[in-house]
């Protein structure tokens, strides 16, 4: 079965400038930069296979991002008549090239518990727990009583949560 024909991507000068500024910005996430490169290469008329080899992404992924860009361009091309809409274009482009929310199981902890943990983390540094607290966290992990919000009860499950710096 032959591969589907790639969607034709046409970029305005403003869209091209926005994509190039995303690529040049060193503080942007890698995936966002990779997807901006993908769209620029697609606008040059390259095939999905060639783009996939250049940016180290699968052909199916290239096709999906190409189609997603095309659908988004159809929507905002109607809204781009005013000057204020042109100022919103960089944000719209980043939104299109960003990951969609992923499905998954609901959170295990309520908002109140997370707020209490964050408040406690701000009072005492959770990044440098004394060894006895780390052992206590391992012991309480198997407990059925996990409703009490304390670092010992949440450390094994929320390691990534504590690694984030919330200011």
């Amino acid at each position: 079965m032959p591969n589907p024909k790639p969607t034709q991507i046409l970029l305005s000068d403003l869209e091209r400038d926005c994509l190039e500024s995303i690529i040049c910005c060193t503080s942007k996430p890698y995936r966002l930069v990779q997807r901006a490169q993908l769209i620029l290469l697609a606008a040059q008329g390259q095939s999905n296979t060639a783009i996939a080899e250049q940016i180290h992404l699968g052909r199916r992924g290239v096709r999906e991002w190409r189609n997603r860009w095309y659908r988004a361009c159809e929507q905002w091309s109607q809204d781009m008549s005013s000057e204020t809409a042109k100022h919103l274009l960089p944000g719209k482009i980043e939104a299109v090239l960003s990951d969609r929310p992923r499905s998954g199981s609901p959170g295990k902890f309520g908002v109140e518990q997370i707020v209490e943990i964050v408040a406690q983390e701000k009072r005492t540094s959770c990044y440098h727990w004394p060894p006895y607290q780390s052992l206590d966290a391992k012991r309480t992990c198997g407990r059925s009583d996990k409703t009490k919000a304390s670092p010992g009860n949440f450390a094994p499950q929320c390691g990534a949560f504590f690694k984030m710096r919330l200011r």
Side-chain angles (χ1 to χ4, degrees):
M1 185 162 104
N3 291 332
K5 187 174 180 181
T7 307
Q8 183 70 27
I9 301 291
L10 300 173
L11 295 176
S12 68
D13 291 336
L14 186 58
E15 290 169 340
R16 187 177 305 278
D17 291 342
C18 289
L19 289 169
E20 287 173 354
S21 70
I22 288 172
I23 292 171
C24 293
C25 185
T26 58
S27 62
K28 298 285 184 191
Y30 174 74
R31 289 186 177 186
L32 187 68
V33 172
Q34 186 183 41
R35 292 167 189 161
Q37 289 172 338
L38 182 151
I39 299 302
L40 286 173
L41 292 171
Q44 292 173 2
Q46 293 192 21
S47 68
N48 289 346
T49 305
I51 295 171
E53 290 173 0
Q54 285 183 349
I55 64 170
H56 308 291
L57 192 67
R59 279 187 321 187
R60 184 177 289 170
V62 171
R63 183 174 57 236
E64 184 177 320
W65 283 106
R66 194 176 205 155
N67 291 336
R68 188 171 169 185
W69 177 267
Y70 183 77
R71 287 190 304 269
C73 282
E74 285 179 339
Q75 290 177 350
W76 74 50
S77 64
Q78 299 164 357
D79 303 335
M80 293 310 295
S81 58
S82 67
E83 282 296 318
T84 57
K86 291 180 181 177
H87 293 293
L88 299 175
L89 185 63
K92 287 184 178 187
I93 288 175
E94 285 193 27
V96 168
L97 298 178
S98 297
D99 289 326
R100 290 183 180 155
R102 296 178 183 215
S103 62
S105 64
K108 295 181 180 180
F109 309 108
V111 175
E112 296 85 13
Q113 291 173 324
I114 292 173
V115 168
E116 188 176 337
I117 296 240
V118 170
Q120 189 172 4
E121 186 269 333
K122 286 184 178 182
R123 286 189 297 257
T124 62
S125 175
C126 292
Y127 302 110
H128 306 289
W129 285 354
Y132 66 88
Q133 284 185 336
S134 298
L135 290 174
D136 189 37
K138 290 178 185 174
R139 281 190 218 114
T140 58
C141 178
R143 270 197 205 162
S144 61
D145 178 28
K146 293 184 181 179
T147 57
K148 183 180 176 191
S150 69
N153 288 345
F154 291 93
Q157 296 91 351
C158 293
F161 181 76
F162 283 118
K163 289 178 185 173
M164 277 191 323
R165 284 256 185 216
L166 299 175
R167 295 178 188 178

